[in-house]
């Protein structure tokens, strides 16, 4: 390594060791049980999506989860309304994990689905939606910054703990939010989550970068491309790991005029 500082070394998303991301280690530390913060995020987004589609019934839609990593519950959140859900991730290791989970997801994810079934839209799919999940969900290896070439392709979207967790650059953070939101059709409901004031994180012995953002910065970055935006700060510092002060969940609708 040359004499550049860590800030400079980790400035670019392409410099992080994404293909060495260990999804099993990540699941072990984050998703073997349901954290209170995840339960609150699920509750907020579940209500947002179900309320939207109750008020706007129509044909089934196509959804995207950007930067899925080793997290299935964003796809669960979109499952009742989608004929296809794309799980996009740039890490080969994560894509392989997602492919295995699509075929038959592990039992630890059942507890996340159980929480969703407190809402009738999800309960209507039954206590074990594995067959529907297998039919609807597909993983795809790709970079979120390439989504600008696929503007308006999806009518429902999620992006959880991604935009602030790929580089140290605020410019890249804002660009990631833009790429995600521009991939959505006008009026599409969406939800996104962020680690507040994250200092970087370790997975499977590898250090991954993070951009230090707060709730105001999150809201401002989303407001450029969305309407009816709401945000909520939740959780306590360092519950999942050291080096952050809380979580932020944001939700709204894609603005057709931006």
């Amino acid at each position: 390594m040359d004499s550049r500082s860590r800030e400079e070394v980790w400035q670019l998303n392409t410099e992080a060791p994404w293909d060495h991301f260990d999804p099993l280690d990540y699941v072990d530390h984050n998703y073997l049980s349901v954290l209170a913060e995840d339960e609150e995020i699920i509750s907020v987004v579940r209500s947002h999506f179900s309320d939207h589609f109750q008020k706007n019934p129509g044909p089934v839609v196509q959804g995207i989860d950007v930067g899925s990593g080793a997290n299935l519950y964003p796809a669960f959140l979109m499952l009742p309304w989608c004929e296809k859900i794309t799980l996009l991730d740039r890490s080969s290791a994560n894509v392989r994990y997602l492919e295995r989970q699509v075929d038959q997801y592990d039992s630890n994810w059942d507890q996340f689905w159980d929480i969703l079934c407190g809402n009738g839209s999800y309960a209507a799919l039954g206590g074990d939606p594995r067959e529907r999940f297998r039919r609807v969900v597909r993983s795809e290896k790709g970079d979120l910054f390439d989504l600008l070439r696929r503007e308006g392709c999806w009518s429902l979207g999620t992006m959880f703990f991604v935009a602030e967790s790929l580089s140290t650059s605020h410019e890249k953070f804002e660009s990631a939010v833009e790429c995600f939101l521009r991939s959505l059709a006008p009026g599409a409901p969406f939800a996104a989550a962020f680690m507040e004031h994250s200092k970087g994180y370790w997975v499977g012995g590898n250090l991954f970068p993070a951009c230090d953002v707060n709730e105001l910065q999150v809201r401002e970055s989303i407001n450029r491309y969305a309407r009816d935006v709401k945000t909520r700060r939740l959780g306590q510092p360092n519950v999942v790991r050291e080096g952050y002060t809380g979580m932020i969940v944001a939700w709204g609708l894609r603005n057709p005029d931006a």
Side-chain angles (χ1 to χ4, degrees), residues 61-65 68-69 71-88 95 97-105 113 125 129-140 154 158:
V61 302
Q62 295 200 19
I64 185 170
D65 179 43
S68 301
N71 184 3
L72 299 191
Y73 79 67
F76 287 170
L77 281 161
M78 295 185 281
L79 197 57
W81 303 283
C82 290
E83 64 178 0
K84 181 180 178 182
I85 298 172
T86 299
L87 307 182
L88 184 75
V95 171
Y97 171 83
L98 292 168
E99 287 173 346
R100 293 193 299 270
Q101 296 301 306
V102 168
D103 185 59
Q104 181 75 9
Y105 62 76
W113 181 254
L125 299 183
R130 282 176 172 80
E131 181 179 348
R132 179 176 173 83
F133 193 84
R134 189 182 305 116
R135 185 174 68 252
V136 169
V137 179
R138 293 292 180 270
S139 62
E140 177 182 328
W154 290 276
T158 53

Side-chain angles (χ1 to χ4, degrees), residues 135-253:
R135 185 174 68 252
V136 169
V137 179
R138 293 292 180 270
S139 62
E140 177 182 328
K141 190 176 191 300
D143 192 319
L144 77 87
F145 294 107
D146 293 334
L147 289 175
L148 285 180
R149 298 201 296 263
R150 302 163 77 177
E151 189 165 349
C153 283
W154 290 276
S155 298
L156 180 61
T158 53
M159 182 179 69
F160 285 5
F161 310 116
V162 176
E164 81 292 6
S165 301
L166 50 79
S167 81
T168 59
S169 166
H170 281 85
E171 180 180 354
K172 288 294 184 182
F173 164 77
E174 292 180 359
S175 179
V177 171
E178 177 183 1
C179 291
F180 166 58
L181 290 171
R182 286 196 182 278
S183 75
L184 303 179
F190 68 86
F194 308 85
M195 304 298 283
E196 180 188 62
H197 296 307
S198 180
K199 306 302 181 186
Y201 56 106
W202 292 86
V203 180
N206 290 293
L207 177 64
F208 292 88
C211 179
D212 185 341
V213 296
N214 59 32
E215 186 175 359
L216 177 60
Q217 290 168 313
V218 166
R219 189 164 54 246
E220 288 179 341
S221 69
I222 293 174
N223 274 334
R224 298 187 183 101
Y225 311 101
R227 60 180 175 85
D228 301 334
V229 177
K230 297 180 177 63
T231 61
R232 181 182 300 178
R233 185 190 179 279
L234 47 92
Q236 300 297 319
N238 307 321
V239 172
V240 177
R241 57 172 171 80
E242 294 184 356
Y244 74 99
T245 59
M247 300 181 190
I248 301 160
V249 59
W251 63 101
L253 304 173

